[in-house]
């Protein structure tokens, strides 16, 4: 298989700049300055010269590498998540595994998270799945949402504790799977009441007519917005949101 090696570069100044742009409202934190550095300059106290790089190889045919980054306001740590396409740090990361790396404020991997700062597993316990959205709870637990593309598809959610372990109090042993044909989840938001709101899209391709010659151009697919809400425990909120939670 032809592969290309992409690298994840985390630049601390991007986070500092985002905090300044929001005047301290983002994550309810006070903007932090880096001494006398000019706005947008790399922060030399982070990693090497303001950068931390971790190789995330990805298959050209898979095309998923890094999907999301999450700033954890309680600790200032940075969580990076994605799906590599081949082994990168054997035996910690395997082909197709959803992978997350947790860095501290200095750009070093947090050793108490997963194995040496990294967790890697089949997302949702399924092989043909992708984790795309991450959000943190006030207690530091992480919620990851994505999609299983096997068969007709389903929505997948995982919740992990501060050590990167699946939370047994969420769903079934830390995981939730909801059948959702043709649905792809792209984002997750945690509401103030603790409920979990997922957003994505449903794509339906019209049935093609019997073969003709020359073949007609394919009809465009039907694309619609999808919102689904779950309770704190991972159940679909069927009583107070939309039509049975959708």
């Amino acid at each position: 298989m032809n592969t290309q090696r992409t690298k994840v570069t985390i630049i601390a100044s991007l986070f500092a700049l985002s905090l300044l742009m929001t005047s301290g409202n983002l994550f309810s934190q006070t903007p932090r300055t880096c001494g006398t550095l000019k706005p947008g300059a790399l922060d030399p106290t982070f990693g090497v010269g303001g950068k931390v790089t971790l190789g995330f190889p990805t298959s050209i045919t898979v095309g998923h590498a890094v999907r999301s980054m999450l700033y954890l306001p309680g600790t200032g740590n940075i969580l990076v998540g994605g799906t590599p396409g081949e082994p990168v740090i054997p035996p910690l990361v395997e082909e197709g595994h959803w992978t997350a790396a947790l860095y501290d404020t200095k750009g070093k991997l947090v050793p108490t998270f997963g194995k040496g700062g990294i967790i890697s597993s089949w997302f949702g316990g399924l092989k043909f799945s992708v984790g795309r959205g991450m959000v943190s709870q006030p207690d530091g637990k992480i919620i990851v949402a994505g999609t299983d593309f096997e068969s007709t598809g389903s929505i997948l959610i995982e919740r992990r504790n501060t050590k990167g372990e699946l939370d047994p109090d969420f769903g079934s042993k830390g995981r939730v799977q909801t059948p959702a044909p043709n649905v792809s989840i792209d984002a997750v938001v945690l509401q103030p009441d603790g409920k979990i709101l997922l957003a994505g899209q449903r794509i339906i391709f019209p049935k093609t007519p019997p073969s003709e010659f020359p073949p007609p151009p394919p009809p465009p697919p039907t694309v619609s917005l999808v919102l689904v809400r779950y309770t704190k425990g991972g159940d679909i909120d069927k009583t107070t949101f939309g039509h049975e939670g959708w």
Side-chain angles (χ1 to χ4, degrees):
M1 178 184 297
N2 293 327
T3 61
Q4 66 178 13
R5 184 170 297 270
T6 60
K7 289 187 176 181
V8 182
T9 303
I10 305 173
I11 303 176
S13 61
L14 294 179
F15 291 93
L17 182 60
S18 66
L19 290 173
L20 291 171
M21 290 176 63
T22 53
S23 300
N25 292 329
L26 187 61
F27 313 118
S28 299
Q29 297 292 301
T30 301
R32 187 178 62 174
T33 59
C34 302
T36 58
L37 293 178
K38 295 181 179 180
L42 293 175
D43 182 356
T45 66
F46 184 84
V48 179
K51 299 179 181 180
V52 171
T53 303
L54 173 67
F56 264 39
T58 176
S59 165
I60 295 176
T61 58
V62 175
H64 291 301
V66 172
R67 297 300 312 214
S68 55
M69 289 194 297
L70 186 63
Y71 173 80
L72 306 178
T75 60
N77 293 341
I78 303 167
L79 184 66
V80 183
T83 306
E86 66 177 14
V88 51
I89 311 178
L92 299 182
V93 181
E94 298 182 21
E95 181 175 359
H97 276 196
W98 180 81
T99 303
L102 184 65
Y103 294 88
D104 62 18
T105 56
K106 298 296 183 181
K108 297 181 180 180
L109 288 169
V110 179
T112 57
F113 183 80
K115 294 182 179 180
I118 298 172
I119 58 173
S120 180
S121 66
W122 294 118
F123 181 62
L126 301 172
K127 187 173 183 179
F128 300 101
S129 60
V130 175
R132 287 182 170 167
M134 299 189 299
V135 67
S136 64
Q137 297 185 169
D139 59 3
K141 293 181 180 180
I142 304 297
I143 295 173
V144 186
T147 309
D148 168 39
F149 293 102
E150 190 172 7
S151 186
T152 58
S154 59
I155 296 172
L156 299 177
I157 309 174
E158 287 186 351
R159 188 167 74 185
R160 293 178 177 269
N161 59 25
T162 55
K163 295 182 178 180
E165 303 165 334
L166 288 169
D167 181 4
D169 296 328
F170 182 79
S172 176
K173 298 179 179 180
R175 290 170 169 156
V176 170
Q177 180 177 5
T178 304
N182 306 307
V183 170
S184 176
I185 293 298
D186 299 304
V188 56
V189 174
L190 187 68
Q191 297 185 175
D193 60 1
K195 292 183 178 180
I196 306 162
L197 184 62
L198 275 58
Q201 57 184 338
R202 177 180 281 112
I203 304 177
I204 299 178
F205 291 90
K207 294 182 178 179
T208 57
S211 59
E212 301 177 10
F213 187 84
T222 300
V223 181
S224 56
L225 173 68
V226 172
L227 295 174
V228 56
R229 190 165 73 182
Y230 291 79
T231 63
K232 298 178 182 179
D235 298 315
I236 291 184
D237 185 6
K238 295 183 177 181
T239 59
T240 61
F241 186 79
H243 176 68
E244 296 189 344
W246 297 77

